C-alpha cells in the first residue's frame, strides 16, 4: 500500500476550477502533485500467461481496474476499445485488470461479448488494485512512456471523446 499516501495527496492537491481549460481537466482527471512511478506488477492474462507492466516500458499505458459486475465499467469499455484501436499503433496500450473473483471464464465471456481486443489481466485477489489504492470502480491510471503516473480517473469516462484523444495525444508526444 505504498502508493496509498500519494493517491490521497493527489486527490487533495487537485487542480482549481480556474485551471480547467485543458483536456486533462475537461475529463476531470486528477494529476498527482509530484512524480510517482507506476508500481510494476505481474498478473495472469485470460490464457494464464504473465501480463507485466514492465513489458510495456516506453509506451503510454492506460491501466484500468474494473469488474464484470460493475455497470459503469461496462458502460465505458466500448469507448476504451475505440481509444485503443485508434492509438495502439503509436505507442499506446490499455491494460485492463479485472478484480472479479470467479476466474478467467466469466471475464473471458464478458470480453468476448463486448469485442474487446486490448490486454486483459486478472487481479482476483486485488493485490494490484490495493497497491494502486483503488477504492472504487472503474479506476484508470494514465502512465506516461517514462513509467510515471500522469493522471487518474475515478469513475467512468467517455474515452472516445475529443478530450480523451487530446490527453492520449499529449502523452504520446
Amino acid at each position: 500500500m505504498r502508493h496509498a499516501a500519494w493517491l490521497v495527496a493527489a486527490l487533495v492537491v487537485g487542480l482549481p476550477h480556474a485551471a480547467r481549460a485543458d483536456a486533462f481537466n475537461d475529463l476531470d482527471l486528477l494529476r498527482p502533485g509530484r512524480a510517482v512511478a507506476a508500481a510494476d506488477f505481474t498478473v495472469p492474462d485470460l490464457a494464464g500467461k504473465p501480463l507485466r507492466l514492465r513489458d510495456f516500458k516506453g509506451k503510454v499505458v492506460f491501466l484500468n481496474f474494473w469488474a464484470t459486475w460493475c455497470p459503469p465499467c461496462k458502460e465505458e469499455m466500448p469507448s476504451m476499445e475505440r481509444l485503443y484501436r485508434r492509438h495502439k499503433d503509436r505507442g499506446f496500450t490499455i491494460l485492463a485488470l479485472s478484480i472479479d473473483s470467479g476466474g478467467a471464464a466469466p471475464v473471458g465471456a464478458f470480453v468476448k461479448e463486448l469485442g474487446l481486443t486490448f490486454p486483459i489481466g486478472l487481479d482476483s485477489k486485488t493485490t494490484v488494485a490495493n497497491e494502486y489504492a483503488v477504492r472504487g470502480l472503474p479506476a484508470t491510471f494514465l502512465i506516461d512512456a517514462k513509467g510515471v503516473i500522469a493522471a487518474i480517473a475515478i469513475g467512468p469516462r467517455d474515452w472516445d471523446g475529443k478530450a480523451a484523444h487530446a490527453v492520449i495525444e499529449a502523452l504520446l508526444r
Side-chain angles (χ1 to χ4, degrees):
M1 296 239 324
R2 64 179 177 213
H3 287 311
W6 70 257
L7 180 58
V8 171
L11 293 171
V12 172
V13 170
L15 293 175
H17 279 281
R20 294 185 177 268
D22 68 12
F24 285 85
N25 291 318
D26 291 345
L27 275 176
D28 198 22
L29 300 177
L30 302 169
R31 310 277 301 268
R34 60 182 175 88
V36 177
D40 192 24
F41 60 82
T42 302
V43 297
D45 68 9
L46 291 174
K49 296 179 183 170
L51 181 63
R52 294 179 285 264
L53 179 61
R54 68 180 161 272
D55 291 343
F56 297 90
K57 187 174 180 162
K59 289 190 173 200
V60 171
V61 177
F62 180 113
L63 175 60
N64 180 261
F65 293 90
W66 65 284
T68 59
W69 45 261
C70 165
C73 299
K74 187 172 184 176
E75 173 188 322
E76 79 173 355
M77 287 281 185
S79 69
M80 288 169 49
E81 178 65 25
R82 291 187 297 273
L83 182 73
Y84 175 69
R85 288 182 186 209
R86 182 167 173 181
H87 299 284
K88 70 179 180 173
D89 295 330
R90 299 186 49 231
F92 171 75
T93 195
I94 292 178
L95 302 180
L97 304 188
S98 167
I99 66 163
D100 284 270
S101 60
V107 175
F110 180 93
V111 167
K112 185 176 180 181
E113 174 189 335
L114 291 181
L116 305 176
T117 61
F118 46 80
I120 304 289
L122 302 173
D123 186 26
S124 61
K125 294 182 180 173
T126 66
T127 306
V128 181
N130 287 335
E131 180 73 14
Y132 279 79
V134 172
R135 297 295 176 259
L137 296 177
T140 300
F141 296 78
L142 297 175
I143 303 167
D144 70 19
K146 294 177 183 174
V148 173
I149 296 173
I152 304 163
I154 307 299
R157 301 290 190 280
D158 174 9
W159 294 111
D160 192 32
K162 184 177 178 181
H165 289 288
V167 165
I168 299 307
E169 292 287 339
L171 291 173
L172 287 169
R173 283 189 207 111

